[in-house]
Amino acid sequence: MPVNVSIIGATGYTGQQLLEILLAHPKVTVTALYSTTDEPKPISELVSRFYQRTSLVCQKLNISDVISRSDFIFLALPHTQAMEIVPQLLAANKYVVDLSADYRLNNPKTYQLAYGLGHKDPANIKKAIYGLCELYRLKIQNAKFVANPGCYPTAAVLGLAPLVATDSLEDEPIIIDAKSGTSGAGKKLAPEMLFTEIDEDFHAYKVNSHQHIPEIEQELTKLAGKKIPITFVPHLLPVKRGILSTMYVRLKTKSYTTPKLISLYKKFYQKEPFIRIRDNKQVCLKDVCYTNFCDISVQVFDRTVIVITAIDNLIKGASGQAVQNMNIMLGYPQTTGLL
Ligand SMILES: NC(=O)c1ccc[n+]([C@@H]2O[C@H](COP(=O)([O-])OP(=O)(O)OC[C@H]3O[C@@H](n4cnc5c(N)ncnc54)[C@H](OP(=O)(O)O)[C@@H]3O)[C@@H](O)[C@H]2O)c1
């Protein structure tokens, strides 16, 4: 029996990507779509890429309607919106994957510092499993509620995990130099995101003050068992999608050559279908865009290791990983609908 799935925030960039994946998923039926629309409208009228592909209608969010029509719910809402409705969805015993940041940070005080607003549902933070599939699959298997990781944290933590988890690094801040395409900001209108501003330009933003810093530090600290500080500089690329992150770390000893490091990474991720260690080529956006892969390259120069990762922010950084989480939660092969 297919599982009845709904998407709240179906007209946004991650919501559209979710619908794209779920329409082709063999184990689910998409039953309901929600946005802020005042009147119910065919999704194909709101998002023209779905023209003649589905007759699904998108309607204004109504929680009792969501609960009656779906067993599994994806929340693709701006942060602060998810925590308004998660308590009701969990009370109704639904499966929930939240793509926003609302339940990713373990400490509500850290949430307030990062997002500038007090958390309204601290009780359910403890119930949320952090959905970085490659690191937390066993917990996700038994979860009903998953906090899907942020796009920058996915790219950074997957690239650093093999070195951090093996305690191979000096105690000094890790430098993460990340570049994202414009869809990372969602579809909201902002003058600085106009084509005329972005095209043929390239610049840093939120230098060492981006809201994803606490999430990356939280996850690296969990892996290491000790505090791991980072220096994080995001940049805006004049492309629609993709994140390329270059990370600079120093080894404790000269114990690794590049081939040895590549072996460490391949062993660490040997069972992971969506991680590709690229030993013969530098990673690039065009190899991963429109896929759920995270490509990683790693090289050592004396004691300095340079790790580079590439993901599609809307797929491995959001909706693809969300479906990977759903597959794991429901006991399907994790690649279902994604390869
Ligand atoms: N973009 C990325 O690369 C990315 C990656 C990882 C995680 N995320 C996270 O995923 C979430 C969604 O991001 P996005 O980029 O898809 O955002 P987006 O393009 O701005 O879309 C937001 C969606 O939420 C809907 N919405 C907003 N308020 C609502 C309400 N009160 N009731 C019902 N629907 C409401 C919007 O509907 P309308 O169309 O009617 O306004 C729209 O469908 C965010 O929390 C974001 O941080 C995004």
Side-chain angles (χ1 to χ4, degrees), residues 8-16 34-37 46 58-61 75-82 85 98-102 104 115 148-152 180-188 211-212 243 312-315 317-319:
I8 304 182
T11 48
Y13 285 167
T14 61
Q16 293 175 31
Y34 304 91
S35 72
T36 64
T37 181
L46 296 167
C58 187
Q59 63 187 79
K60 196 177 184 73
L61 178 58
L75 303 180
L77 292 167
H79 67 271
T80 74
Q81 300 281 319
I85 59 174
D98 175 24
L99 279 77
S100 86
D102 282 2
R104 294 181 202 147
Y115 292 94
N148 211 55
C151 47
Y152 282 128
S180 174
T182 57
S183 59
K187 70 166 195 179
K188 63 183 177 303
Q211 65 275 15
H212 283 169
I243 291 179
D312 184 320
N313 57 296
L314 292 177
I315 303 191
S319 309

Side-chain angles (χ1 to χ4, degrees), residues 97-339:
V97 173
D98 175 24
L99 279 77
S100 86
D102 282 2
Y103 294 88
R104 294 181 202 147
L105 295 169
N106 302 141
N107 184 341
K109 286 187 192 145
T110 314
Y111 181 89
Q112 175 146 20
L113 283 175
Y115 292 94
L117 187 100
H119 205 287
K120 292 191 178 160
D121 182 29
N124 281 320
I125 293 177
K126 289 189 196 71
K127 293 190 187 155
I129 300 299
Y130 189 72
L132 193 56
C133 305
E134 286 70 18
L135 301 184
Y136 297 112
R137 184 177 306 105
L138 291 180
K139 285 187 174 174
I140 298 165
Q141 272 169 0
N142 298 312
K144 286 214 85 164
F145 178 32
V146 162
N148 211 55
C151 47
Y152 282 128
T154 296
V157 177
L158 288 175
L160 293 166
L163 290 169
V164 170
T166 51
D167 195 21
S168 304
L169 302 178
E170 283 279 22
D171 285 335
E172 58 186 27
I174 290 173
I175 297 172
I176 304 170
D177 174 39
K179 300 105 190 157
S180 174
T182 57
S183 59
K187 70 166 195 179
K188 63 183 177 303
L189 295 174
E192 68 276 16
M193 301 305 283
L194 289 170
F195 180 79
T196 38
E197 302 297 328
I198 304 277
D199 188 39
E200 297 184 53
D201 192 21
F202 178 56
H203 61 83
Y205 67 101
K206 295 188 182 174
V207 173
N208 219 21
S209 58
H210 193 278
Q211 65 275 15
H212 283 169
I213 290 174
E215 185 181 337
I216 299 171
E217 288 186 337
Q218 168 185 289
E219 291 310 310
L220 294 178
T221 297
K222 272 194 319 207
L223 277 175
K226 62 182 177 188
K227 177 103 183 105
I228 303 277
I230 63 165
T231 300
F232 179 70
V233 183
H235 299 73
L236 193 58
L237 279 174
V239 300
K240 288 193 292 256
R241 51 207 284 166
I243 291 179
L244 193 120
S245 297
T246 308
M247 287 152 298
Y248 305 84
V249 291
R250 196 169 322 271
L251 293 169
K252 279 182 178 163
T253 63
K254 286 189 183 177
S255 47
Y256 283 109
T257 58
T258 295
K260 262 179 98 175
L261 263 182
I262 290 171
S263 300
L264 170 82
Y265 271 69
K266 286 193 169 170
K267 196 165 170 219
F268 192 87
Y269 287 125
Q270 64 189 335
K271 296 198 176 116
E272 302 307 334
F274 294 115
I275 305 286
R276 301 189 299 191
I277 311 302
R278 305 299 299 255
D279 45 5
N280 53 358
K281 177 177 185 300
Q282 292 298 339
V283 305
C284 61
L285 294 185
K286 71 175 165 36
D287 286 355
V288 295
C289 280
Y290 302 95
T291 81
N292 198 47
F293 288 113
C294 173
D295 279 6
I296 304 177
S297 72
V298 59
Q299 286 167 277
V300 63
F301 302 91
D302 193 33
R303 283 197 296 130
T304 301
V305 177
I306 300 181
V307 187
I308 310 177
T309 62
I311 62 169
D312 184 320
N313 57 296
L314 292 177
I315 303 191
K316 184 59 178 164
S319 309
Q321 182 146 251
V323 172
Q324 195 181 346
N325 273 309
M326 179 193 76
N327 288 338
I328 296 169
M329 292 161 84
L330 297 179
Y332 305 144
Q334 62 174 323
T335 52
T336 311
L338 289 169
L339 275 182

